[in-house]
Structure formats: C-alpha cells, structure tokens
C-alpha cells in the first residue's frame, strides 16, 4: 500500500529542519559570546574581580530598623476624644497623643464613656466585648458596665456603656449630675481593664473627670492585675477641679474614709475635691506646658491648690501639646480656596485672604492687614483687653474677624463693633469648622491675648497656616511663641507680658509696623512659622520616656 504524504507532514518536516538550523545558529552565537567574554575577562582581570566583590554585598544588604525602645502598654482614661466627642483641647489630646505613641511602639488603649451624642457612623462599627455589674456606692449599690470596642490607626478605643449615666445629649451637664457620672466612669474604666484582662504598665488619666482613677487604683484595685500599673494624671486646665459636697462624693465614689482628709480629698472642711485627690495619689502629674507647670504653683494661677501642688512639685512635669498635622495641613486642607506650603504660602495666602474677605462681607483688599481671633468668648481668653483696643486698632488699614461663642456681654460687644465698622469688622458668633480653617489660612495675624493659657492650640494651628500669632507670655503661649526681633530677623510672633490693654495695643501696632513697613521680614516669619515643628512627635517621645521611667525594664 502506498502512503501519500499529506501537506501537514510536509510542513512538519520543514519546521523541524528550520528548528535544527536555528539550534546550530544559536550554538555558534553562544560560542562567539563565550569567547568574547573570555577575551574581555583576560583583557580586564581587575574589572572582573570588582564585579565579584560587588555582587555579594548587594545581595546581603540589610536595612536597619529604628530602635523604638522598650514597649509599654498605656491605658488613656478621659471624658472626651475626637472624633467621637469633643468640647475643647482635651478631646484633641486624647485623639492625637495615643496615635503618636502607637508609632513609637507603645500599646495604647483609650477608654471614654459611650455618650449618646457620639455619631452613629462610629456607634454602628463598635463591637460588643462583654458586660458585668459593679459595686459603686458606699451602700454597695450595683451598676451595669458594658464594653464596646472600636479600632483605628493602631489604637483600640473602649467605650463604657451605661444608659443611666450617659444617655444625655452632651458629655457635661451640671456638677450635681456630673459627679456621680464620673465617679462611676473612673471605677468602671479600671474594672473593664480587669474584665478584658488587659494589664497596662501605665494608666494615664485626664482632668478632674478621671482624677479618682489613681485613688481607685490604690484602694479597690490594689490587689488586682491592673493595680500594678503606675498612675499619670494630666491637668489640662486647673480651673476645673470637681469640687462638691464631701458626703455626696463619699457616697457615690464608695472610697474608704481614710482618703477623705485635708491632704487628699478634703477642701474647706465641708467639700471634697476630686482633682486634689488625684494629685495626691498619682505617680506623675503633668501639665500641657512647662511654663504652666510652674504657674500653677503660684497663688495667682494655683486656683486654691498652689500649696498642695508645691508639696507635690517633685512629681510635676510640663510637656507642651502638639497638633495633628494631618488634619491641620494647608497643603492638603480641602476647605481652603488655595492650598500651599512654605514655598507657595506668600502668594497663595493672598488668594485665601480674598476668599475670606468675600465670604464674610469685608472689603476685598489684599493690602489690608487681616487680624483673626478664634476663641471661646470668656474672660480667660483676654477678651476684655481686646474689647478695649478695638477702636484704636480700626484705622482704615486693618480688618478684624472674631469667631466664637461665649459670654453674652462679649457677643453683643463684638456685634456692636461689626455694625460700627462695616466692611472692616466681622463678628461670627458661632463655631464653624469651615470658617475656622479659612480664617487660619486667610488672615495675616491671629490674636491670643489670654489671661492664662495652659497650652493653647490656636497659636500652634496659626503658625502651621502661616498666620503670625500675637500672644501674651503665659503658659503654653510663652513656650511656643518666640518674640520677633527686628534687628536680627528672628522669632515667630509678637508677645507682651503684663495683662494690660495698653501692652496689647502696643504689640498689635508693632506687628502692623512690621507688616506694612518691613514686609520682607514679615514674609520670612511666615515661612519660619510654617516650617516650625508643631506636631506631637517630640512631645510623644517625652511622654514615652516618662512611661519608661515609671515602669521596670523587661
């Protein structure tokens, strides 16, 4: 039988022939390449040796990790924390400091009440971790303690749940209701740590609302796991101390009789002072600036506790606050008309100034100096001085913007000035976050003439946005603002010392003189302020060093 070759078999043979030919060609090419390499190696023996030496180094390269020091676990206990609930600077600190500590190898847990005013977007993401009943009052009365958990940015947030105490719309109501609420919260926070079997090295509590934590730690919890922790108490504002009738605090706290004495909780014989008790029993007492740590030991700023604080002065530390530079960042802030950094600030702030003037009904003129004031409208903030100097400041070349709420007397006074100086004065009697960001970015200077200021955040934010601060030298204002020196062009703001309206007026005029007559130096100061480190990084390291001092190394 004759086999007729098909087209396919013919093509296959051709393909095979081509493959054999290609193989021969590749062998010849490889032989030529090998010969060329051999010749090159003979001609350049030193280069070959150099290649051999470099290759292993590149392959075995090890990236060194930064030494973050010993790990510590810290439980933050306080009455508010942004973004869940915030009424002042405490909420900012309880938010930003734990995040910064987490980056420094600190295991952080934040404990706050589960208020009903916490936005639902966070409530719906909380996870139930358990519940129990806890003895609270001196008669053994029991209360429910629920624990809800939320995690973000390396920080665990635990919320103490109890409708009887936290069903109000606001975190603070009145002292009669707040005393029982925060007696419960201080004890429940420690009980929750034991329930979760989360044993901290340090318990860091904040202000009078959590000031009973060190006392509970050394009494009811002294023989428990959490009782081994050191206690740190931070005073954000000494003016608020949790003072009320001794019998009421004794009943609701259930604390033993021996802590109710003149060296601990008792004040004026009939009252008990919760903050005073915390100062007595804590291992370290911190304030939010170094200057304020000294000021509170004087009769002028001691709010009745100066002598008690001087007695405990060896445990007092002053660590200045920072701000969250991710939230307060002019280069990424979505609320601004024009974003900017140190290189583009001088030009782009003009755009923001124009937008600010237009939005608030001021005369649009980039050559006018705009002075902002963002504050609670109270005596503490130096507004009596501001009220005195406004008529002299309004010279036709200056515009003033006030943002805030507070005492009705100040609200009405600033409304009067708005009517008196139409187009040059704006009284925005409310608090609006969008307007605040636009004032920081659009104004030339920011007033902070406080009577006393534990730390102050507005001057830090102002510097971050290139608004030159005009401040009184007190507390954190003194620690963060260095006075301008016209002779060597240094400093980052304008300051005055004594609490007098004449000195504030002179300081504003010095700032105006620099702005109108020496704009080059003014612009240099704007750049210095934007480049100034106002983050939590340095402060967080100081807190961590303190935690390490308080606990054994292991």
């Amino acid at each position: 039988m004759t086999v007729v070759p098909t087209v396919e078999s013919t093509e296959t043979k051709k393909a095979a022939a081509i493959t054999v030919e290609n193989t021969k060609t590749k062998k010849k090419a490889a032989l030529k390449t090998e010969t060329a390499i051999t010749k090159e190696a003979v001609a350049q023996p030193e280069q070959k040796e150099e290649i051999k030496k470099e290759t292993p180094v590149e392959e075995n390269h090890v990236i060194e990790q930064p030494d973050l020091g010993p790990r510590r676990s810290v439980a933050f206990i306080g009455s508010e924390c942004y973004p869940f609930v915030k009424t002042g600077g405490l909420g900012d600190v309880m938010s930003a400091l734990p995040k910064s500590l987490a980056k420094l190898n600190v295991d952080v847990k934040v404990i706050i009440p589960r208020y009903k005013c916490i936005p639902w977007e966070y409530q719906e993401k909380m996870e139930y971790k358990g519940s129990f009943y806890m003895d609270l009052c001196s008669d053994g009365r029991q209360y429910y303690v629920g624990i809800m958990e939320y995690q973000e940015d390396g920080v665990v947030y635990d919320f103490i749940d109890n409708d009887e105490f936290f069903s109000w719309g606001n975190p603070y109501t009145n002292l009669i209701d707040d005393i029982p609420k925060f007696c419960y919260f201080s004890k429940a926070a420690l009980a929750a740590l034991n329930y979760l079997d989360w044993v901290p090295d340090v318990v860091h509590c904040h202000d009078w609302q959590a000031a009973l934590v060190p006392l509970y730690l050394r009494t009811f919890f002294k023989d428990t796991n959490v009782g081994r922790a050191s206690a740190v108490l931070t005073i954000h504002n000494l003016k608020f101390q949790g003072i009320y009738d001794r019998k009421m605090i004794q009943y609701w706290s259930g604390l033993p009789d021996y802590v109710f004495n003149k060296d601990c909780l008792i004040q004026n014989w009939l009252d008990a002072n919760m903050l005073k008790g915390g100062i007595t029993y804590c291992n370290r007492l911190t304030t939010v600036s170094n200057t304020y740590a000294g000021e509170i030991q004087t009769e002028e700023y001691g709010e009745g506790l100066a002598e008690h604080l001087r007695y405990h002065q060896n445990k007092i530390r002053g660590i200045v606050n920072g701000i969250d530079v991710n939230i307060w960042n002019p280069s990424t802030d979505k609320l601004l008309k024009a974003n900017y950094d140190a290189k583009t600030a001088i030009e782009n702030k003009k755009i923001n100034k124009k937008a600010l003037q237009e939005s608030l009904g001021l005369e649009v003129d980039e050559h006018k100096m705009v002075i902002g004031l963002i504050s609670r409208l109270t005596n503490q903030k130096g507004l009596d001085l501001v009220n005195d100097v406004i008529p002299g400041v309004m010279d036709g070349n200056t515009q003033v913007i006030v943002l805030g709420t507070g005492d009705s007397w100040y609200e009405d006074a600033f409304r009067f000035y708005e009517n008196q100086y139409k187009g040059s004065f704006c009284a925005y009697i409310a608090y609006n976050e969008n307007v605040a960001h636009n004032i920081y970015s659009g104004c030339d200077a920011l007033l902070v003439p406080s009577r006393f200021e534990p730390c102050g955040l507005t001057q830090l934010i102002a510097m971050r946005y290139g608004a030159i601060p005009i401040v009184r030298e007190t507390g954190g204002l003194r620690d963060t603002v260095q006075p301008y020196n016209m002779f060597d062009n240094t400093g980052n703001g304008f300051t005055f010392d004594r609490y007098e309206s004449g000195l504030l007026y002179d300081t504003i005029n010095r700032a105006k003189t620099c702005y109108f007559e020496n704009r080059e130096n003014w612009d240099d100061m704007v750049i210095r302020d934007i480049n100034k480190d106002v983050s939590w990084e340095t402060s967080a390291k100081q807190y961590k060093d303190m935690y390490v001092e308080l606990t054994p190394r292991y």
Side-chain angles (χ1 to χ4, degrees):
M1 179 178 180
T2 305
V3 178
V4 179
T6 63
V7 176
E8 183 179 356
S9 62
T10 305
E11 291 297 328
T12 302
K13 289 180 180 180
K14 288 182 180 179
I18 293 170
T19 301
V20 172
E21 187 63 29
N22 286 344
T23 303
K24 290 180 181 179
T25 305
K26 287 180 180 179
K27 284 183 178 180
K28 289 179 182 179
L31 185 60
K32 288 181 180 179
T33 303
E34 185 178 350
T35 304
I37 292 173
T38 305
K39 288 181 180 178
E40 186 178 351
V42 173
Q44 302 178 19
E46 292 182 3
Q47 184 177 351
K48 180 181 178 182
E49 184 67 19
E50 185 177 312
I51 293 171
K52 283 185 177 180
K53 288 181 180 179
E54 288 179 358
T55 304
V57 174
E58 188 173 337
E59 289 177 353
N60 298 327
H61 181 64
V62 178
I63 300 174
E64 293 185 6
Q65 297 295 330
D67 182 10
L68 297 176
R71 185 168 175 80
R72 290 292 179 263
S73 58
V74 181
F76 274 69
I77 302 176
S79 58
E80 58 184 80
C81 176
Y82 179 83
F84 313 108
V85 59
K86 171 190 167 181
T87 65
L90 170 61
D92 290 316
V93 174
M94 287 281 290
S95 171
L97 178 54
K99 293 176 185 177
S100 298
L101 288 168
K103 296 176 183 177
L104 296 176
N105 196 33
V106 176
D107 188 10
V108 188
K109 182 186 287 290
V110 176
I111 304 177
I112 67 170
R114 187 190 181 191
Y115 303 108
K116 284 295 179 288
C117 62
I118 295 175
W120 180 247
E121 64 182 287
Y122 302 111
Q123 298 243 24
E124 66 178 351
K125 296 177 184 176
M126 293 179 187
E127 179 184 351
Y128 173 75
K129 301 301 288 187
S131 62
F132 55 91
Y133 280 84
M134 174 188 74
D135 292 340
L136 178 65
C137 305
S138 58
D139 59 5
R141 188 175 174 185
Q142 289 195 327
Y143 285 89
Y144 171 83
V145 179
I147 307 171
M148 305 295 290
E149 192 169 281
Y150 176 87
Q151 297 187 37
E152 189 176 83
D153 295 331
V155 179
V156 176
Y157 301 90
D158 282 337
F159 299 84
I160 302 300
D161 186 29
N162 183 291
D163 282 345
E164 188 168 347
F165 290 112
F166 306 129
S167 60
W168 303 91
N170 297 312
Y172 314 117
T173 51
N174 58 75
L175 205 56
I176 296 176
D177 292 322
D178 286 348
I179 292 290
K181 175 165 58 182
F182 292 114
C183 285
Y184 163 83
F185 171 66
S186 295
K187 189 174 184 180
L190 295 176
L193 288 172
N194 268 338
Y195 177 85
L196 296 170
D197 197 24
W198 199 88
V199 183
D201 296 307
V202 176
V203 172
H204 191 160
C205 46
H206 297 259
D207 275 348
W208 76 265
Q209 293 91 346
L212 290 187
V213 168
L215 285 84
Y216 281 124
L217 204 61
R218 302 293 172 244
T219 54
F220 292 118
F221 293 90
K222 64 180 179 179
D223 296 323
T224 68
N225 287 336
V226 74
R228 299 198 298 265
S230 299
V232 174
L233 172 62
T234 294
I235 297 175
H236 296 264
N237 191 334
L238 188 62
K239 188 176 182 66
F240 307 104
Q241 301 176 14
I243 303 172
Y244 204 69
D245 179 67
R246 165 187 174 166
K247 290 182 180 179
M248 179 180 177
I249 292 179
Q250 194 162 9
Y251 170 76
W252 280 103
S253 68
L255 286 165
D257 291 342
Y258 63 80
V259 301
F260 289 88
N261 62 74
K262 66 181 180 63
D263 296 321
C264 187
L265 279 168
I266 294 303
Q267 182 165 316
N268 303 327
W269 302 107
L270 297 177
D271 292 331
N273 185 326
M274 294 167 68
L275 185 64
K276 183 181 178 184
I279 292 169
T280 303
Y281 270 77
C282 69
N283 299 99
R284 286 286 186 277
L285 178 69
T286 73
T287 64
V288 289
S289 72
N290 193 51
T291 296
Y292 191 62
E295 287 178 342
I296 61 175
Q297 298 177 56
T298 67
E299 298 304 321
E300 182 179 1
Y301 297 99
E303 300 290 345
L305 289 180
E307 184 179 355
H308 188 65
L309 288 162
R310 288 195 295 270
Y311 181 81
H312 292 279
Q313 62 181 306
N314 289 336
K315 61 169 98 169
I316 299 178
R317 300 277 183 88
I319 302 176
V320 71
N321 283 344
I323 61 172
D324 190 328
V325 293
N326 294 317
I327 295 175
W328 299 104
N329 186 352
S331 65
T332 59
D333 193 333
K334 295 179 180 178
L335 298 176
L336 307 189
K337 180 72 172 178
N339 293 113
Y340 57 91
D341 55 18
K343 293 180 180 179
T344 58
I346 304 304
E347 290 304 316
N348 285 8
K349 275 184 70 67
K350 294 177 183 177
I351 300 173
N352 291 318
K353 176 191 277 191
K354 180 182 178 182
L356 180 67
Q357 291 170 328
E358 289 176 344
S359 65
L360 298 181
L362 299 176
E363 182 184 346
V364 178
D365 186 346
E366 70 172 53
H367 300 294
K368 292 196 175 184
M369 182 179 184
V370 178
I371 300 175
L373 190 154
I374 301 174
S375 173
R376 286 183 290 111
L377 305 184
T378 63
N379 276 335
Q380 177 200 333
K381 299 300 183 179
L383 298 186
D384 52 334
L385 303 186
V386 175
N387 184 59
D388 289 344
V389 304
I390 288 299
V393 170
M394 306 309 295
D395 57 4
N397 297 312
T398 309
Q399 296 176 337
V400 174
I401 302 170
V402 175
L403 172 68
T405 61
D407 297 345
S408 59
W409 192 89
Y410 288 122
E411 292 181 355
D412 293 340
F414 292 132
R415 288 190 182 103
F416 169 79
Y417 287 132
E418 180 178 56
N419 186 62
Q420 183 81 6
Y421 304 103
K422 290 181 179 178
S424 294
F425 193 103
C426 174
Y428 200 109
I429 307 303
Y431 185 77
N432 184 300
E433 194 74 16
N434 291 12
V435 176
H437 282 247
N438 289 324
I439 292 174
Y440 285 124
S441 66
C443 71
D444 299 296
L446 193 89
L447 278 180
V448 197
S450 304
R451 183 183 296 273
F452 69 93
E453 194 66 65
C455 177
L457 298 178
T458 53
Q459 84 279 9
L460 301 178
I461 299 169
M463 288 188 282
R464 176 78 166 151
Y465 280 69
I468 304 301
I470 300 174
V471 308
R472 179 170 174 254
E473 296 173 6
T474 182
L477 300 175
R478 181 180 180 182
D479 291 350
T480 57
V481 180
Q482 291 72 47
Y484 167 69
N485 186 322
M486 62 181 294
F487 300 104
D488 57 9
N489 191 21
T490 58
N492 62 345
F494 295 87
T495 70
F496 63 103
D497 51 8
R498 297 188 308 278
Y499 191 77
E500 298 175 6
S501 57
L503 292 179
L504 171 60
Y505 184 63
D506 290 343
T507 305
I508 293 174
N509 283 336
R510 280 190 286 117
K512 289 165 71 172
T513 299
C514 180
Y515 179 82
F516 288 113
E517 298 182 6
N518 196 346
R519 183 60 67 84
E520 185 176 349
N521 279 15
W522 181 276
D523 290 345
D524 289 343
M525 192 161 24
V526 169
I527 304 306
R528 281 198 298 274
D529 277 359
I530 292 176
N531 287 329
K532 182 179 173 66
D533 181 9
V534 293
S535 71
W536 270 104
E537 186 174 344
T538 301
S539 300
K541 288 177 182 176
Q542 294 180 53
Y543 275 110
K544 182 177 180 180
D545 290 343
M546 180 181 64
Y547 299 150
V548 173
E549 290 174 11
L550 287 170
T551 53
R553 296 179 182 276
Y554 52 85

